[in-house]
Amino acid sequence: SFNSLNHDMTLAEFKFIWYMEYSHRMWGRVVGLAYILPAAYFWRRGWLSRPLKGRVLALCGLVCFQGLLGWYMVKSGLEEKPDSYDIPRVSQYRLAAHLGSALVLYSASLWTGLSLLLPRHKLPETHQLLRLRQYAHGTTALIFLTALSGAFVAGLDAGLVYNSFPKMGERWIPDDLLAFSPVLRNIFENPTTVQFDHRILGIASVTAVIALYLFSRKIPLPRRTRMAVTSLLAVACMQ
């Protein structure tokens, strides 16, 4: 990696990157302990219900899996590729898996915590409310997919290919969008296609959040739910 990419790097510059990586690993281990030690204590004291025990075990397992996935991702950036003259970098597939696993862990932790802290609203199951819930789930999936596509952008340095918006260079649709063969490979390995997909998914996600907000305004909802939808819109616009 040193010979191929950063042969002019100073020791101070190397230390900066090394400490960033070291801090990330240490922080991950602290997070693991913050899960496992209290979980073991609460379990031993008998404070966990049977359904909660299953969820706690799953969360602790996901924390450990996240660490292993991080190691597996970093390992891909250290492997020698004698047939390749490309810049050494981690696999975009493993980076996306690591990010996706982290998002699932964070979302499941937040959902579990809020479920324990806040009582569930008992609302009449109207047709409009059912549609709102389904639309919220669909929007969640779209946002998750957009975040994963961002990992592919980062893994391939695809953000460096075009730096104009809304057009990509002088065109709405770049010429090299489907340059790789087979066609499916472009979605995951062509930097132009990866950036194009991320743009489209990002625009779709913001549009879906705005539509979700407008639809929610037509339904009588509790104050807490309204605050959640409004906060989602604010964060989407800021993002």
Side-chain angles (χ1 to χ4, degrees), residues 69-116:
L69 204 52
W71 166 80
Y72 184 61
M73 178 194 73
V74 171
K75 184 174 177 287
S76 69
L78 301 175
E79 292 169 353
E80 291 290 339
K81 303 177 181 70
D83 300 328
S84 174
Y85 298 97
D86 195 12
I87 293 170
R89 56 162 63 95
V90 298
S91 163
Q92 68 271 27
Y93 297 101
R94 299 184 193 184
L95 178 60
H98 190 50
L99 175 64
S101 174
L103 288 172
V104 170
L105 174 61
Y106 179 78
S107 300
S109 302
L110 186 63
W111 185 275
T112 301
L114 290 176
S115 299
L116 293 171

Side-chain angles (χ1 to χ4, degrees), residues 5 9 14 26 39 57 67 74 79-80 104 112 114 118 127 137 166 195-196 211 222-223 232 234:
L5 180 59
M9 179 181 284
F14 172 76
M26 290 301 106
L57 279 177
V74 171
E79 292 169 353
E80 291 290 339
V104 170
T112 301
L114 290 176
L118 302 173
H127 178 66
H137 289 162
Q195 191 193 126
F196 181 80
R223 181 172 174 272
L232 178 63

Side-chain angles (χ1 to χ4, degrees), residues 23 44 57 61 81 91-92 96 112 118 133 146 148 158 166 174 177 185 188 194 218 225 233 238:
S23 300
R44 188 172 180 81
L57 279 177
K81 303 177 181 70
S91 163
Q92 68 271 27
T112 301
L118 302 173
R133 187 179 291 125
T146 303
L148 285 191
L177 192 67
R185 192 172 147 225
F188 306 106
V194 165
K218 300 177 182 178
T225 310
L233 177 64
M238 185 170 66

